[in-house]
Amino acid sequence: MATAPPASPAQQPIRGVQPIRAGQGNSFFWRKLHSLTGIVPIGAFLIEHLVSNFETVHGPLAYAKTVLFLNSLPLVRVLEWTLIFIPLTFHALYGVYIAVRGRNNVNVYPWAGNWMYLSQRVTGIIALLYIVYHVWTQRFSGVSLPEHPGAAFAKVQHELANPWVLVVYIIAMIATTWHFAYGTWLFAAKWGITPGTRARKRFAYVCAVIGIVLCLMGLTSIYAVVTAPPAPDDVMPMQTSSITMPAPTTVTLETTNAVQQQKAQ
């Protein structure tokens, strides 16, 4: 009497974060590039941006000097596009593509990891919407800060006077720093930098500290702007990012007489 073949055992779900491996079609290269750009240069720029904005705690003039210094760097516009705008655009668009095409991962990640997976996509969307708004309002509309760095503090202060905008900034700051911190952990796991559960658990604490510190710095900068006295529209009206205006000279009566005597001779 023929017997039915034994049922194959149910496939065990794969736990943890799997590394990005070759042989997965064209997505291997793009996922590698997406993961890398999230750390360099975008992550590096995020840290620099939050450190620079932290100068708001020292007042409008200190913040204006920081904006002036950054916009006085050699080839600053080339650096801005090649190291910020282009990588950021790719990372954002491909991140949306991954989020839209993402499959249900309940059988891949444990419960906590599944929520982390979801939160990474949600915070990425929040960060993207905020960055588009922030770049437009602070870089491409209103007073041009590269030409008038002294207006930087007042421009942000006027914007944050709107309570709804303030709430957006706070939510976006938390979402962006969370996205970067967890993205750093995922980068190390997927690139094989932290092999094993113990290494990943330890690095998770490091990423958590980094995320908390960056978030507190950002929120402190926002608080400094909101609670500061109304700033002048431009604390450095005689300076631009590329030109330093000389101090005005005072012409005295003696100087005028000396010039007239020289002409008479």
Side-chain angles (χ1 to χ4, degrees):
M1 181 176 178
T3 58
S8 59
Q11 184 178 2
Q12 294 296 323
I14 303 174
R15 299 297 183 182
V17 178
Q18 302 305 305
I20 304 177
R21 300 186 184 279
Q24 299 177 355
N26 294 331
S27 64
F28 168 73
F29 171 78
W30 296 115
R31 284 178 178 270
K32 276 283 190 179
L33 186 60
H34 177 262
S35 177
L36 180 62
T37 54
I39 306 300
V40 180
I42 298 173
F45 169 71
L46 174 64
I47 295 175
E48 179 278 321
H49 193 60
L50 292 176
V51 171
S52 298
N53 286 345
F54 197 70
E55 282 297 312
T56 55
V57 302
H58 299 127
L61 183 59
Y63 185 53
K65 290 180 178 179
T66 300
V67 176
L68 175 64
F69 166 75
L70 293 175
N71 284 280
S72 300
L73 295 175
L75 300 175
V76 63
R77 298 299 160 245
V78 176
L79 297 175
E80 187 178 54
W81 280 96
T82 57
L83 298 182
I84 301 175
F85 290 147
I86 294 177
L88 183 60
T89 300
F90 163 75
H91 188 83
L93 294 180
Y94 196 75
V96 172
Y97 171 80
I98 293 175
V100 171
R101 293 176 58 89
R103 60 186 176 85
N104 191 336
N105 63 331
V106 176
N107 64 328
V108 176
Y109 293 94
W111 184 86
N114 193 48
W115 280 105
M116 299 288 277
Y117 175 93
L118 176 62
S119 67
Q120 187 68 356
R121 273 116 189 99
V122 172
T123 54
I125 297 297
I126 294 174
L128 171 60
L129 296 176
Y130 165 73
I131 290 171
V132 171
Y133 168 81
H134 181 66
V135 171
W136 173 253
T137 57
Q138 292 296 315
R139 179 66 177 84
F140 295 109
S141 68
V143 179
S144 177
L145 298 185
E147 283 72 35
H148 302 281
F153 195 98
K155 188 174 184 179
V156 178
Q157 194 173 54
H158 294 159
E159 186 177 7
L160 294 183
N162 186 327
W164 291 105
V165 175
L166 177 60
V167 171
V168 168
Y169 264 67
I170 294 173
I171 294 175
M173 184 62 62
I174 297 172
T176 303
T177 51
W178 165 275
H179 189 80
F180 172 68
Y182 186 56
T184 302
W185 184 87
L186 284 175
F187 171 81
K190 289 181 174 294
W191 282 66
I193 299 174
T194 52
T197 304
R198 179 176 296 182
R200 294 176 182 178
K201 184 176 181 179
R202 290 178 177 176
F203 191 60
Y205 290 114
V206 175
C207 294
V209 171
I210 293 174
I212 292 173
V213 170
L214 292 178
C215 185
L216 290 178
M217 288 181 63
L219 294 177
T220 301
S221 301
I222 295 173
Y223 178 80
V225 173
V226 173
T227 58
D233 289 338
D234 194 335
V235 296
M236 304 170 66
M238 301 300 293
Q239 286 189 311
T240 67
S241 61
S242 57
I243 301 175
T244 302
M245 301 297 292
T249 57
T250 303
V251 180
T252 63
L253 180 61
E254 291 78 5
T255 303
T256 304
N257 293 335
V259 172
Q260 291 177 351
Q261 291 177 2
Q262 289 178 358
K263 289 182 178 180
Q265 294 176 356

